[in-house]
Amino acid sequence: MFIHRLPSFVPSIFPSLIWDKKADAKENQVYFTFDDGPSPEITNFVLDELDKFQAKATFFCIGKNMLQYPEIAQSIHVTGHSLGNHTMNHVNAWKVSHEDYIANKMACDLVFSELNIPSIGFRPPYGRVNPALIKKSSEIGPIYMWSLLTGDYNSDLSHSSIIDHCLKNIQAGSIVVFHDSQKAFPHLKVILPQFLAYCHDKGFQLSAL
């Protein structure tokens, strides 16, 4: 069974990580986030859909994709959305040394600097962290996790199951994860418009982190 909603006990185990923004969510804010881009066509689709609802979001970008598509990264920035670091190569913290992991993260930081785009913080690929990363979280900067995972990358899920399981769990302060990637696009192009319409109808304000 796919777990969309974060179990309530998890944030208490890792309190230095950011799991939601309930304490800061003014005006009924919800935070949509998009991982693994920027990607041609897909990121532009997301930006167009967000614009229809005057919604802002956060894009956790892979450094190599930013270098390949700098104009899309700049488009995200200039249209008022925020961007964050998702490592240079979508590296898995459980499969490399901590030193190599941090080097990969810092390489992505350099891409942000080269493109003159500010980064709001870091999201670890796969949501995987290690003890050293948690211990050094105050030095790395804000580490953003999530409270709701759509699972749009999972081809075993149906559009309707994602919508049914996720929409009922959106609340003020929720950090929701989508992916602007080729793998997720079959789901994303169907569910994102419905998520946006739902939040609009419920009076949520979609904001960037």
mmCIF file of all heavy atoms in Angstrom, residues 158-208:
data_model
loop_
_atom_site.group_PDB
_atom_site.id
_atom_site.type_symbol
_atom_site.label_atom_id
_atom_site.label_comp_id
_atom_site.label_asym_id
_atom_site.label_seq_id
_atom_site.Cartn_x
_atom_site.Cartn_y
_atom_site.Cartn_z
ATOM 1 N N SER A 158 -3.448 4.745 -9.677
ATOM 2 C CA SER A 158 -4.357 5.332 -10.663
ATOM 3 C C SER A 158 -4.525 6.817 -10.364
ATOM 4 O O SER A 158 -4.264 7.277 -9.254
ATOM 5 C CB SER A 158 -5.716 4.642 -10.619
ATOM 6 O OG SER A 158 -6.361 4.902 -9.381
ATOM 7 N N HIS A 159 -4.965 7.566 -11.375
ATOM 8 C CA HIS A 159 -5.254 8.982 -11.157
ATOM 9 C C HIS A 159 -6.251 9.136 -10.001
ATOM 10 O O HIS A 159 -6.064 9.966 -9.103
ATOM 11 C CB HIS A 159 -5.883 9.621 -12.400
ATOM 12 C CG HIS A 159 -5.083 9.484 -13.654
ATOM 13 N ND1 HIS A 159 -3.705 9.493 -13.673
ATOM 14 C CD2 HIS A 159 -5.480 9.347 -14.943
ATOM 15 C CE1 HIS A 159 -3.289 9.377 -14.924
ATOM 16 N NE2 HIS A 159 -4.354 9.277 -15.713
ATOM 17 N N SER A 160 -7.301 8.347 -10.039
ATOM 18 C CA SER A 160 -8.376 8.495 -9.054
ATOM 19 C C SER A 160 -7.911 8.144 -7.645
ATOM 20 O O SER A 160 -8.338 8.786 -6.674
ATOM 21 C CB SER A 160 -9.579 7.631 -9.437
ATOM 22 O OG SER A 160 -9.225 6.270 -9.504
ATOM 23 N N SER A 161 -7.035 7.149 -7.503
ATOM 24 C CA SER A 161 -6.584 6.782 -6.159
ATOM 25 C C SER A 161 -5.721 7.881 -5.560
ATOM 26 O O SER A 161 -5.797 8.169 -4.354
ATOM 27 C CB SER A 161 -5.821 5.455 -6.184
ATOM 28 O OG SER A 161 -4.577 5.573 -6.856
ATOM 29 N N ILE A 162 -4.887 8.517 -6.393
ATOM 30 C CA ILE A 162 -4.072 9.636 -5.909
ATOM 31 C C ILE A 162 -4.974 10.775 -5.443
ATOM 32 O O ILE A 162 -4.794 11.325 -4.352
ATOM 33 C CB ILE A 162 -3.115 10.128 -7.006
ATOM 34 C CG1 ILE A 162 -2.064 9.056 -7.320
ATOM 35 C CG2 ILE A 162 -2.443 11.436 -6.584
ATOM 36 C CD1 ILE A 162 -1.171 9.394 -8.502
ATOM 37 N N ILE A 163 -5.930 11.106 -6.260
ATOM 38 C CA ILE A 163 -6.844 12.201 -5.930
ATOM 39 C C ILE A 163 -7.657 11.877 -4.676
ATOM 40 O O ILE A 163 -7.775 12.700 -3.762
ATOM 41 C CB ILE A 163 -7.766 12.489 -7.126
ATOM 42 C CG1 ILE A 163 -6.942 13.088 -8.285
ATOM 43 C CG2 ILE A 163 -8.899 13.426 -6.726
ATOM 44 C CD1 ILE A 163 -7.660 13.098 -9.613
ATOM 45 N N ASP A 164 -8.199 10.670 -4.606
ATOM 46 C CA ASP A 164 -9.033 10.288 -3.469
ATOM 47 C C ASP A 164 -8.254 10.274 -2.153
ATOM 48 O O ASP A 164 -8.758 10.708 -1.111
ATOM 49 C CB ASP A 164 -9.646 8.900 -3.698
ATOM 50 C CG ASP A 164 -10.689 8.896 -4.792
ATOM 51 O OD1 ASP A 164 -11.147 9.991 -5.178
ATOM 52 O OD2 ASP A 164 -11.035 7.803 -5.284
ATOM 53 N N HIS A 165 -7.013 9.781 -2.190
ATOM 54 C CA HIS A 165 -6.230 9.672 -0.962
ATOM 55 C C HIS A 165 -5.627 11.006 -0.526
ATOM 56 O O HIS A 165 -5.429 11.229 0.680
ATOM 57 C CB HIS A 165 -5.107 8.642 -1.133
ATOM 58 C CG HIS A 165 -5.553 7.231 -1.039
ATOM 59 N ND1 HIS A 165 -5.896 6.480 -2.149
ATOM 60 C CD2 HIS A 165 -5.727 6.412 0.027
ATOM 61 C CE1 HIS A 165 -6.261 5.260 -1.767
ATOM 62 N NE2 HIS A 165 -6.165 5.198 -0.452
ATOM 63 N N CYS A 166 -5.331 11.867 -1.472
ATOM 64 C CA CYS A 166 -4.599 13.093 -1.133
ATOM 65 C C CYS A 166 -5.491 14.287 -0.819
ATOM 66 O O CYS A 166 -5.238 15.006 0.151
ATOM 67 C CB CYS A 166 -3.635 13.453 -2.258
ATOM 68 S SG CYS A 166 -2.258 12.308 -2.431
ATOM 69 N N LEU A 167 -6.508 14.531 -1.619
ATOM 70 C CA LEU A 167 -7.268 15.762 -1.441
ATOM 71 C C LEU A 167 -7.899 15.869 -0.058
ATOM 72 O O LEU A 167 -7.919 16.947 0.539
ATOM 73 C CB LEU A 167 -8.343 15.892 -2.524
ATOM 74 C CG LEU A 167 -7.833 16.085 -3.959
ATOM 75 C CD1 LEU A 167 -8.994 16.394 -4.895
ATOM 76 C CD2 LEU A 167 -6.786 17.194 -4.037
ATOM 77 N N LYS A 168 -8.366 14.767 0.462
ATOM 78 C CA LYS A 168 -9.015 14.811 1.777
ATOM 79 C C LYS A 168 -8.032 15.093 2.908
ATOM 80 O O LYS A 168 -8.442 15.420 4.028
ATOM 81 C CB LYS A 168 -9.753 13.494 2.044
ATOM 82 C CG LYS A 168 -8.843 12.273 2.143
ATOM 83 C CD LYS A 168 -9.667 11.000 2.300
ATOM 84 C CE LYS A 168 -8.778 9.765 2.354
ATOM 85 N NZ LYS A 168 -9.591 8.514 2.421
ATOM 86 N N ASN A 169 -6.727 14.961 2.625
ATOM 87 C CA ASN A 169 -5.714 15.182 3.655
ATOM 88 C C ASN A 169 -4.997 16.521 3.535
ATOM 89 O O ASN A 169 -4.114 16.828 4.338
ATOM 90 C CB ASN A 169 -4.678 14.051 3.612
ATOM 91 C CG ASN A 169 -5.224 12.753 4.174
ATOM 92 O OD1 ASN A 169 -5.721 12.724 5.299
ATOM 93 N ND2 ASN A 169 -5.142 11.683 3.399
ATOM 94 N N ILE A 170 -5.370 17.331 2.559
ATOM 95 C CA ILE A 170 -4.769 18.654 2.450
ATOM 96 C C ILE A 170 -5.358 19.563 3.526
ATOM 97 O O ILE A 170 -6.569 19.619 3.719
ATOM 98 C CB ILE A 170 -5.015 19.265 1.055
ATOM 99 C CG1 ILE A 170 -4.233 18.488 -0.007
ATOM 100 C CG2 ILE A 170 -4.606 20.729 1.035
ATOM 101 C CD1 ILE A 170 -4.462 18.989 -1.424
ATOM 102 N N GLN A 171 -4.474 20.244 4.238
ATOM 103 C CA GLN A 171 -4.902 21.202 5.255
ATOM 104 C C GLN A 171 -3.924 22.362 5.284
ATOM 105 O O GLN A 171 -2.863 22.307 4.656
ATOM 106 C CB GLN A 171 -4.964 20.527 6.622
ATOM 107 C CG GLN A 171 -3.676 19.861 7.048
ATOM 108 C CD GLN A 171 -3.831 19.070 8.333
ATOM 109 O OE1 GLN A 171 -4.071 19.642 9.395
ATOM 110 N NE2 GLN A 171 -3.711 17.753 8.240
ATOM 111 N N ALA A 172 -4.289 23.440 5.953
ATOM 112 C CA ALA A 172 -3.405 24.601 6.037
ATOM 113 C C ALA A 172 -2.039 24.177 6.570
ATOM 114 O O ALA A 172 -1.953 23.477 7.584
ATOM 115 C CB ALA A 172 -4.017 25.668 6.938
ATOM 116 N N GLY A 173 -0.999 24.584 5.867
ATOM 117 C CA GLY A 173 0.366 24.240 6.260
ATOM 118 C C GLY A 173 0.924 23.013 5.586
ATOM 119 O O GLY A 173 2.118 22.713 5.740
ATOM 120 N N SER A 174 0.096 22.284 4.833
ATOM 121 C CA SER A 174 0.583 21.071 4.163
ATOM 122 C C SER A 174 1.658 21.405 3.135
ATOM 123 O O SER A 174 1.554 22.385 2.400
ATOM 124 C CB SER A 174 -0.571 20.363 3.442
ATOM 125 O OG SER A 174 -1.479 19.793 4.340
ATOM 126 N N ILE A 175 2.687 20.576 3.099
ATOM 127 C CA ILE A 175 3.690 20.608 2.042
ATOM 128 C C ILE A 175 3.440 19.379 1.179
ATOM 129 O O ILE A 175 3.568 18.244 1.639
ATOM 130 C CB ILE A 175 5.123 20.591 2.599
ATOM 131 C CG1 ILE A 175 5.383 21.839 3.446
ATOM 132 C CG2 ILE A 175 6.138 20.500 1.466
ATOM 133 C CD1 ILE A 175 6.762 21.872 4.109
ATOM 134 N N VAL A 176 3.050 19.618 -0.069
ATOM 135 C CA VAL A 176 2.631 18.547 -0.978
ATOM 136 C C VAL A 176 3.691 18.349 -2.056
ATOM 137 O O VAL A 176 4.173 19.315 -2.646
ATOM 138 C CB VAL A 176 1.278 18.897 -1.633
ATOM 139 C CG1 VAL A 176 0.774 17.725 -2.475
ATOM 140 C CG2 VAL A 176 0.241 19.294 -0.577
ATOM 141 N N VAL A 177 4.046 17.091 -2.320
ATOM 142 C CA VAL A 177 5.081 16.783 -3.308
ATOM 143 C C VAL A 177 4.486 16.260 -4.612
ATOM 144 O O VAL A 177 3.745 15.270 -4.625
ATOM 145 C CB VAL A 177 6.078 15.725 -2.781
ATOM 146 C CG1 VAL A 177 7.153 15.445 -3.818
ATOM 147 C CG2 VAL A 177 6.722 16.184 -1.489
ATOM 148 N N PHE A 178 4.832 16.953 -5.708
ATOM 149 C CA PHE A 178 4.615 16.490 -7.072
ATOM 150 C C PHE A 178 5.995 16.372 -7.722
ATOM 151 O O PHE A 178 7.010 16.728 -7.118
ATOM 152 C CB PHE A 178 3.782 17.492 -7.879
ATOM 153 C CG PHE A 178 2.434 17.807 -7.325
ATOM 154 C CD1 PHE A 178 2.263 18.823 -6.384
ATOM 155 C CD2 PHE A 178 1.305 17.130 -7.764
ATOM 156 C CE1 PHE A 178 1.006 19.138 -5.885
ATOM 157 C CE2 PHE A 178 0.039 17.444 -7.279
ATOM 158 C CZ PHE A 178 -0.111 18.445 -6.334
ATOM 159 N N HIS A 179 6.038 15.897 -8.954
ATOM 160 C CA HIS A 179 7.298 15.797 -9.698
ATOM 161 C C HIS A 179 7.105 16.340 -11.114
ATOM 162 O O HIS A 179 6.189 15.897 -11.818
ATOM 163 C CB HIS A 179 7.784 14.351 -9.772
ATOM 164 C CG HIS A 179 8.165 13.788 -8.432
ATOM 165 N ND1 HIS A 179 7.214 13.351 -7.533
ATOM 166 C CD2 HIS A 179 9.378 13.613 -7.853
ATOM 167 C CE1 HIS A 179 7.833 12.924 -6.432
ATOM 168 N NE2 HIS A 179 9.141 13.070 -6.601
ATOM 169 N N ASP A 180 7.946 17.290 -11.507
ATOM 170 C CA ASP A 180 7.913 17.765 -12.897
ATOM 171 C C ASP A 180 8.960 16.983 -13.694
ATOM 172 O O ASP A 180 9.968 17.510 -14.142
ATOM 173 C CB ASP A 180 8.106 19.282 -12.999
ATOM 174 C CG ASP A 180 9.342 19.810 -12.291
ATOM 175 O OD1 ASP A 180 9.791 19.194 -11.311
ATOM 176 O OD2 ASP A 180 9.859 20.868 -12.714
ATOM 177 N N SER A 181 8.668 15.702 -13.848
ATOM 178 C CA SER A 181 9.574 14.773 -14.528
ATOM 179 C C SER A 181 8.801 13.965 -15.565
ATOM 180 O O SER A 181 7.570 13.841 -15.496
ATOM 181 C CB SER A 181 10.213 13.814 -13.515
ATOM 182 O OG SER A 181 9.233 12.951 -12.956
ATOM 183 N N GLN A 182 9.528 13.391 -16.505
ATOM 184 C CA GLN A 182 8.911 12.581 -17.549
ATOM 185 C C GLN A 182 8.172 11.389 -16.954
ATOM 186 O O GLN A 182 7.079 11.029 -17.393
ATOM 187 C CB GLN A 182 9.987 12.101 -18.535
ATOM 188 C CG GLN A 182 9.439 11.531 -19.828
ATOM 189 C CD GLN A 182 8.763 12.584 -20.689
ATOM 190 O OE1 GLN A 182 9.304 13.655 -20.898
ATOM 191 N NE2 GLN A 182 7.579 12.274 -21.199
ATOM 192 N N LYS A 183 8.760 10.793 -15.930
ATOM 193 C CA LYS A 183 8.160 9.624 -15.304
ATOM 194 C C LYS A 183 6.810 9.941 -14.663
ATOM 195 O O LYS A 183 5.886 9.127 -14.691
ATOM 196 C CB LYS A 183 9.124 9.072 -14.246
ATOM 197 C CG LYS A 183 8.701 7.768 -13.608
ATOM 198 C CD LYS A 183 9.772 7.283 -12.643
ATOM 199 C CE LYS A 183 9.405 5.946 -12.021
ATOM 200 N NZ LYS A 183 10.451 5.474 -11.075
ATOM 201 N N ALA A 184 6.701 11.130 -14.116
ATOM 202 C CA ALA A 184 5.474 11.496 -13.400
ATOM 203 C C ALA A 184 4.417 12.128 -14.293
ATOM 204 O O ALA A 184 3.248 12.221 -13.897
ATOM 205 C CB ALA A 184 5.813 12.464 -12.262
ATOM 206 N N PHE A 185 4.801 12.561 -15.483
ATOM 207 C CA PHE A 185 3.909 13.384 -16.300
ATOM 208 C C PHE A 185 2.567 12.732 -16.628
ATOM 209 O O PHE A 185 1.536 13.425 -16.643
ATOM 210 C CB PHE A 185 4.625 13.825 -17.577
ATOM 211 C CG PHE A 185 3.957 14.979 -18.270
ATOM 212 C CD1 PHE A 185 3.415 16.031 -17.552
ATOM 213 C CD2 PHE A 185 3.877 15.021 -19.659
ATOM 214 C CE1 PHE A 185 2.803 17.103 -18.182
ATOM 215 C CE2 PHE A 185 3.269 16.083 -20.307
ATOM 216 C CZ PHE A 185 2.727 17.122 -19.570
ATOM 217 N N PRO A 186 2.503 11.418 -16.898
ATOM 218 C CA PRO A 186 1.181 10.826 -17.179
ATOM 219 C C PRO A 186 0.167 11.080 -16.065
ATOM 220 O O PRO A 186 -1.014 11.323 -16.335
ATOM 221 C CB PRO A 186 1.488 9.335 -17.335
ATOM 222 C CG PRO A 186 2.903 9.312 -17.849
ATOM 223 C CD PRO A 186 3.589 10.420 -17.107
ATOM 224 N N HIS A 187 0.608 11.005 -14.809
ATOM 225 C CA HIS A 187 -0.278 11.330 -13.691
ATOM 226 C C HIS A 187 -0.423 12.835 -13.526
ATOM 227 O O HIS A 187 -1.529 13.356 -13.328
ATOM 228 C CB HIS A 187 0.265 10.747 -12.387
ATOM 229 C CG HIS A 187 -0.066 9.304 -12.166
ATOM 230 N ND1 HIS A 187 -1.286 8.757 -12.461
ATOM 231 C CD2 HIS A 187 0.677 8.282 -11.645
ATOM 232 C CE1 HIS A 187 -1.305 7.465 -12.144
ATOM 233 N NE2 HIS A 187 -0.109 7.152 -11.648
ATOM 234 N N LEU A 188 0.703 13.549 -13.585
ATOM 235 C CA LEU A 188 0.713 14.967 -13.259
ATOM 236 C C LEU A 188 -0.241 15.778 -14.123
ATOM 237 O O LEU A 188 -0.960 16.653 -13.619
ATOM 238 C CB LEU A 188 2.139 15.519 -13.397
ATOM 239 C CG LEU A 188 2.342 16.972 -12.969
ATOM 240 C CD1 LEU A 188 2.145 17.120 -11.463
ATOM 241 C CD2 LEU A 188 3.728 17.460 -13.377
ATOM 242 N N LYS A 189 -0.270 15.491 -15.409
ATOM 243 C CA LYS A 189 -1.104 16.296 -16.301
ATOM 244 C C LYS A 189 -2.591 16.110 -16.031
ATOM 245 O O LYS A 189 -3.404 16.960 -16.415
ATOM 246 C CB LYS A 189 -0.788 15.975 -17.759
ATOM 247 C CG LYS A 189 -1.063 14.561 -18.190
ATOM 248 C CD LYS A 189 -0.570 14.326 -19.616
ATOM 249 C CE LYS A 189 -0.772 12.904 -20.070
ATOM 250 N NZ LYS A 189 -0.225 12.670 -21.444
ATOM 251 N N VAL A 190 -2.926 15.027 -15.336
ATOM 252 C CA VAL A 190 -4.330 14.791 -14.967
ATOM 253 C C VAL A 190 -4.631 15.326 -13.571
ATOM 254 O O VAL A 190 -5.638 16.001 -13.346
ATOM 255 C CB VAL A 190 -4.661 13.283 -15.031
ATOM 256 C CG1 VAL A 190 -6.086 13.026 -14.523
ATOM 257 C CG2 VAL A 190 -4.494 12.767 -16.451
ATOM 258 N N ILE A 191 -3.750 15.041 -12.612
ATOM 259 C CA ILE A 191 -4.077 15.359 -11.217
ATOM 260 C C ILE A 191 -3.808 16.812 -10.842
ATOM 261 O O ILE A 191 -4.534 17.374 -10.016
ATOM 262 C CB ILE A 191 -3.345 14.421 -10.234
ATOM 263 C CG1 ILE A 191 -1.833 14.675 -10.228
ATOM 264 C CG2 ILE A 191 -3.672 12.956 -10.527
ATOM 265 C CD1 ILE A 191 -1.094 13.938 -9.113
ATOM 266 N N LEU A 192 -2.770 17.446 -11.425
ATOM 267 C CA LEU A 192 -2.443 18.801 -10.995
ATOM 268 C C LEU A 192 -3.603 19.776 -11.193
ATOM 269 O O LEU A 192 -3.932 20.541 -10.266
ATOM 270 C CB LEU A 192 -1.180 19.307 -11.695
ATOM 271 C CG LEU A 192 -0.746 20.728 -11.309
ATOM 272 C CD1 LEU A 192 -0.498 20.837 -9.803
ATOM 273 C CD2 LEU A 192 0.494 21.145 -12.092
ATOM 274 N N PRO A 193 -4.252 19.800 -12.366
ATOM 275 C CA PRO A 193 -5.403 20.709 -12.508
ATOM 276 C C PRO A 193 -6.489 20.460 -11.464
ATOM 277 O O PRO A 193 -7.123 21.418 -10.980
ATOM 278 C CB PRO A 193 -5.911 20.419 -13.924
ATOM 279 C CG PRO A 193 -4.705 19.901 -14.656
ATOM 280 C CD PRO A 193 -3.952 19.099 -13.642
ATOM 281 N N GLN A 194 -6.682 19.200 -11.086
ATOM 282 C CA GLN A 194 -7.718 18.890 -10.105
ATOM 283 C C GLN A 194 -7.305 19.312 -8.696
ATOM 284 O O GLN A 194 -8.128 19.782 -7.902
ATOM 285 C CB GLN A 194 -8.054 17.399 -10.152
ATOM 286 C CG GLN A 194 -8.661 16.984 -11.486
ATOM 287 C CD GLN A 194 -9.236 15.580 -11.472
ATOM 288 O OE1 GLN A 194 -9.970 15.211 -10.557
ATOM 289 N NE2 GLN A 194 -8.923 14.802 -12.493
ATOM 290 N N PHE A 195 -6.024 19.147 -8.365
ATOM 291 C CA PHE A 195 -5.518 19.616 -7.073
ATOM 292 C C PHE A 195 -5.655 21.134 -6.972
ATOM 293 O O PHE A 195 -6.064 21.672 -5.938
ATOM 294 C CB PHE A 195 -4.054 19.225 -6.899
ATOM 295 C CG PHE A 195 -3.829 17.876 -6.281
ATOM 296 C CD1 PHE A 195 -4.091 16.712 -6.984
ATOM 297 C CD2 PHE A 195 -3.326 17.751 -4.994
ATOM 298 C CE1 PHE A 195 -3.873 15.466 -6.428
ATOM 299 C CE2 PHE A 195 -3.099 16.518 -4.418
ATOM 300 C CZ PHE A 195 -3.378 15.372 -5.140
ATOM 301 N N LEU A 196 -5.307 21.829 -8.043
ATOM 302 C CA LEU A 196 -5.391 23.283 -8.045
ATOM 303 C C LEU A 196 -6.834 23.759 -7.899
ATOM 304 O O LEU A 196 -7.119 24.675 -7.116
ATOM 305 C CB LEU A 196 -4.783 23.830 -9.340
ATOM 306 C CG LEU A 196 -3.259 23.754 -9.434
ATOM 307 C CD1 LEU A 196 -2.794 23.986 -10.874
ATOM 308 C CD2 LEU A 196 -2.596 24.786 -8.511
ATOM 309 N N ALA A 197 -7.731 23.139 -8.634
ATOM 310 C CA ALA A 197 -9.140 23.521 -8.551
ATOM 311 C C ALA A 197 -9.703 23.246 -7.160
ATOM 312 O O ALA A 197 -10.469 24.057 -6.618
ATOM 313 C CB ALA A 197 -9.942 22.768 -9.613
ATOM 314 N N TYR A 198 -9.332 22.131 -6.577
ATOM 315 C CA TYR A 198 -9.802 21.776 -5.236
ATOM 316 C C TYR A 198 -9.346 22.817 -4.218
ATOM 317 O O TYR A 198 -10.145 23.299 -3.392
ATOM 318 C CB TYR A 198 -9.279 20.398 -4.849
ATOM 319 C CG TYR A 198 -9.615 19.981 -3.433
ATOM 320 C CD1 TYR A 198 -10.832 19.359 -3.139
ATOM 321 C CD2 TYR A 198 -8.714 20.206 -2.389
ATOM 322 C CE1 TYR A 198 -11.145 18.980 -1.844
ATOM 323 C CE2 TYR A 198 -9.019 19.824 -1.082
ATOM 324 C CZ TYR A 198 -10.223 19.214 -0.821
ATOM 325 O OH TYR A 198 -10.537 18.842 0.473
ATOM 326 N N CYS A 199 -8.058 23.167 -4.258
ATOM 327 C CA CYS A 199 -7.541 24.139 -3.296
ATOM 328 C C CYS A 199 -8.186 25.509 -3.480
ATOM 329 O O CYS A 199 -8.487 26.201 -2.509
ATOM 330 C CB CYS A 199 -6.022 24.230 -3.415
ATOM 331 S SG CYS A 199 -5.159 22.785 -2.756
ATOM 332 N N HIS A 200 -8.414 25.869 -4.727
ATOM 333 C CA HIS A 200 -9.085 27.142 -5.005
ATOM 334 C C HIS A 200 -10.499 27.141 -4.433
ATOM 335 O O HIS A 200 -10.926 28.103 -3.772
ATOM 336 C CB HIS A 200 -9.114 27.387 -6.513
ATOM 337 C CG HIS A 200 -9.822 28.632 -6.915
ATOM 338 N ND1 HIS A 200 -11.171 28.652 -7.237
ATOM 339 C CD2 HIS A 200 -9.391 29.919 -7.031
ATOM 340 C CE1 HIS A 200 -11.520 29.885 -7.543
ATOM 341 N NE2 HIS A 200 -10.468 30.671 -7.425
ATOM 342 N N ASP A 201 -11.232 26.066 -4.655
ATOM 343 C CA ASP A 201 -12.617 25.973 -4.183
ATOM 344 C C ASP A 201 -12.694 25.952 -2.647
ATOM 345 O O ASP A 201 -13.671 26.445 -2.081
ATOM 346 C CB ASP A 201 -13.288 24.724 -4.750
ATOM 347 C CG ASP A 201 -13.512 24.809 -6.237
ATOM 348 O OD1 ASP A 201 -13.403 25.917 -6.798
ATOM 349 O OD2 ASP A 201 -13.766 23.753 -6.867
ATOM 350 N N LYS A 202 -11.669 25.388 -2.009
ATOM 351 C CA LYS A 202 -11.652 25.294 -0.543
ATOM 352 C C LYS A 202 -11.094 26.548 0.115
ATOM 353 O O LYS A 202 -11.063 26.648 1.350
ATOM 354 C CB LYS A 202 -10.843 24.079 -0.101
ATOM 355 C CG LYS A 202 -11.464 22.731 -0.473
ATOM 356 C CD LYS A 202 -12.770 22.508 0.285
ATOM 357 C CE LYS A 202 -13.355 21.132 -0.014
ATOM 358 N NZ LYS A 202 -14.630 20.897 0.720
ATOM 359 N N GLY A 203 -10.626 27.480 -0.689
ATOM 360 C CA GLY A 203 -10.116 28.731 -0.129
ATOM 361 C C GLY A 203 -8.696 28.673 0.361
ATOM 362 O O GLY A 203 -8.249 29.565 1.110
ATOM 363 N N PHE A 204 -7.940 27.670 -0.067
ATOM 364 C CA PHE A 204 -6.520 27.613 0.300
ATOM 365 C C PHE A 204 -5.727 28.594 -0.555
ATOM 366 O O PHE A 204 -6.002 28.772 -1.749
ATOM 367 C CB PHE A 204 -5.956 26.208 0.092
ATOM 368 C CG PHE A 204 -6.478 25.178 1.068
ATOM 369 C CD1 PHE A 204 -7.190 24.076 0.631
ATOM 370 C CD2 PHE A 204 -6.236 25.314 2.420
ATOM 371 C CE1 PHE A 204 -7.659 23.127 1.513
ATOM 372 C CE2 PHE A 204 -6.715 24.361 3.337
ATOM 373 C CZ PHE A 204 -7.416 23.266 2.877
ATOM 374 N N GLN A 205 -4.715 29.203 0.039
ATOM 375 C CA GLN A 205 -3.812 30.068 -0.704
ATOM 376 C C GLN A 205 -2.551 29.281 -1.014
ATOM 377 O O GLN A 205 -1.819 28.862 -0.111
ATOM 378 C CB GLN A 205 -3.449 31.311 0.119
ATOM 379 C CG GLN A 205 -2.479 32.240 -0.587
ATOM 380 C CD GLN A 205 -2.125 33.442 0.262
ATOM 381 O OE1 GLN A 205 -2.949 33.934 1.029
ATOM 382 N NE2 GLN A 205 -0.905 33.919 0.129
ATOM 383 N N LEU A 206 -2.271 29.070 -2.293
ATOM 384 C CA LEU A 206 -1.117 28.290 -2.692
ATOM 385 C C LEU A 206 0.105 29.211 -2.759
ATOM 386 O O LEU A 206 0.154 30.133 -3.557
ATOM 387 C CB LEU A 206 -1.373 27.608 -4.029
ATOM 388 C CG LEU A 206 -2.433 26.505 -3.963
ATOM 389 C CD1 LEU A 206 -2.820 26.024 -5.343
ATOM 390 C CD2 LEU A 206 -1.943 25.339 -3.124
ATOM 391 N N SER A 207 1.079 28.919 -1.914
ATOM 392 C CA SER A 207 2.234 29.802 -1.716
ATOM 393 C C SER A 207 3.538 29.056 -1.910
ATOM 394 O O SER A 207 3.607 27.822 -1.795
ATOM 395 C CB SER A 207 2.206 30.402 -0.302
ATOM 396 O OG SER A 207 0.996 31.076 -0.068
ATOM 397 N N ALA A 208 4.583 29.805 -2.208
ATOM 398 C CA ALA A 208 5.935 29.252 -2.276
ATOM 399 C C ALA A 208 6.527 29.193 -0.879
ATOM 400 O O ALA A 208 6.195 30.009 -0.013
ATOM 401 C CB ALA A 208 6.811 30.118 -3.180
#
